């Protein structure tokens, strides 16, 4: 694309404004006639700086860029809407484990939680778009492994998993013990898991 920095900045701004979904640098480059990724990044930084004091910000989430309302003005746009059902305690725990340990298998999740994980719990996270199947572990049985999605980062306002809060505190509690050690313990003795998510949901129905 033969254009000066000012024109490229305007083109990037217009493209993001019209896009229904966040766009990566690579997607913007392809859309704008294979503009150099370095020029695209520079334009994005310039646009973000221009919008910083305004009511709309240009932000990067999971390596994709989009416009969003300035955080201090979000209350002006809030409307009454149907309450979305909260995640169960089990689903919240599983989502946290996936986020901090990904990619992680169901057996590894169960080892860390200390209880069996119902298939429905993972299905809820998959349907919500916050977890995804990331392949299979290259070990006997080739178990499915799970990871978080860009939508997870966007929903919680995270640029990347490095922004996850409380990692030091969670490690101190033992929740972040290495998955490999937990998995070895599980495969060595799996008789200790007698509580299912169904039982747990009954115990915590008031949550």
């Amino acid at each position: 694309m033969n254009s000066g920095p000012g024109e490229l900045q305007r083109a990037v701004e217009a493209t993001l404004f019209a896009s229904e979904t966040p766009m990566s640098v690579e997607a913007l480059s392809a859309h704008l006639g294979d503009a150099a990724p370095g020029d695209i990044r520079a334009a994005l930084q310039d646009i973000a700086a221009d919008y910083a004091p305004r009511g709309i910000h240009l932000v990067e989430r999971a390596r994709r860029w989009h416009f969003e309302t300035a955080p201090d003005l979000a209350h002006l746009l809030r409307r009454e809407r149907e309450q979305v059902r909260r995640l169960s305690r089990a689903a919240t725990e599983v989502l946290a484990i996936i986020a901090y340990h990904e990619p992680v298998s169901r057996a590894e999740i169960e080892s860390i939680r200390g209880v069996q994980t119902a298939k429905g719990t993972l299905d809820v996270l998959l349907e919500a778009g916050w977890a995804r199947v990331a392949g299979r572990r290259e070990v006997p049985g080739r178990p499915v492994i799970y990871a978080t999605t860009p939508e997870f980062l966007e929903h919680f306002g995270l640029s990347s998993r490095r922004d996850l809060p409380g990692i030091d505190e969670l490690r101190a509690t033992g929740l972040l013990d290495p998955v490999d050690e937990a998995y070895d313990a599980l495969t060595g003795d799996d008789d200790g898991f007698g509580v299912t998510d169904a039982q747990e949901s009954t115990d915590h129905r008031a949550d």
Side-chain angles (χ1 to χ4, degrees):
M1 178 175 179
N2 297 322
S3 62
E7 294 180 5
L8 178 59
Q9 183 175 327
R10 293 179 66 235
V12 170
E13 180 180 14
T15 301
L16 287 173
F17 183 80
S19 176
E20 295 182 355
T21 59
M23 296 183 69
S24 66
V25 170
E26 293 75 17
L28 284 165
S29 176
H31 182 79
L32 297 175
D34 294 322
D39 292 341
I40 295 290
R41 293 189 184 92
L44 288 166
Q45 295 297 334
D46 289 342
I47 297 169
D50 287 344
Y51 275 87
R54 303 185 190 180
I56 296 174
H57 290 175
L58 178 63
V59 298
E60 181 184 16
R61 300 282 186 251
R63 301 183 64 186
R64 298 188 298 179
W65 293 79
H66 71 278
F67 287 104
E68 68 179 28
T69 304
D72 61 315
L73 299 178
H75 67 282
L76 298 177
L77 305 179
R78 190 171 294 123
R79 298 177 180 176
E80 293 297 328
R81 60 182 179 181
E82 183 179 355
Q83 180 67 33
V84 178
R85 183 172 62 88
R86 293 190 307 163
L87 289 179
S88 68
R89 174 172 176 172
T92 302
E93 290 176 355
V94 170
L95 180 60
I97 290 170
I98 294 174
Y100 281 102
H101 290 287
E102 65 178 76
V104 62
S105 70
R106 178 176 171 181
E108 292 163 346
I109 293 170
E110 292 176 345
S111 177
I112 294 169
R113 292 185 65 216
V115 296
Q116 293 178 0
T117 299
K119 183 179 183 298
T121 301
L122 286 166
D123 288 342
V124 167
L125 299 177
L126 293 171
E127 291 171 3
W130 292 349
R132 63 183 175 85
V133 173
R136 292 182 177 273
R137 183 84 72 207
E138 293 303 324
V139 297
R142 302 187 71 241
V144 171
I145 52 178
Y146 300 91
T148 54
T149 65
E151 288 73 21
F152 164 80
L153 296 176
E154 291 167 11
H155 181 85
F156 290 99
L158 305 172
S159 295
S160 71
R161 287 174 57 239
R162 289 190 297 272
D163 296 330
L164 285 168
I167 190 167
D168 291 335
E169 292 80 0
L170 289 172
R171 182 178 288 111
T173 67
L175 183 60
L176 296 182
D177 288 341
V179 168
D180 290 341
E181 294 178 13
Y183 187 68
D184 289 342
L186 174 65
T187 55
D189 179 10
D190 59 0
D191 293 332
F193 305 116
V195 181
T196 66
D197 280 344
Q199 293 170 317
E200 181 180 281
S201 62
T202 300
D203 295 337
H204 300 282
R205 189 170 296 165
D207 289 348

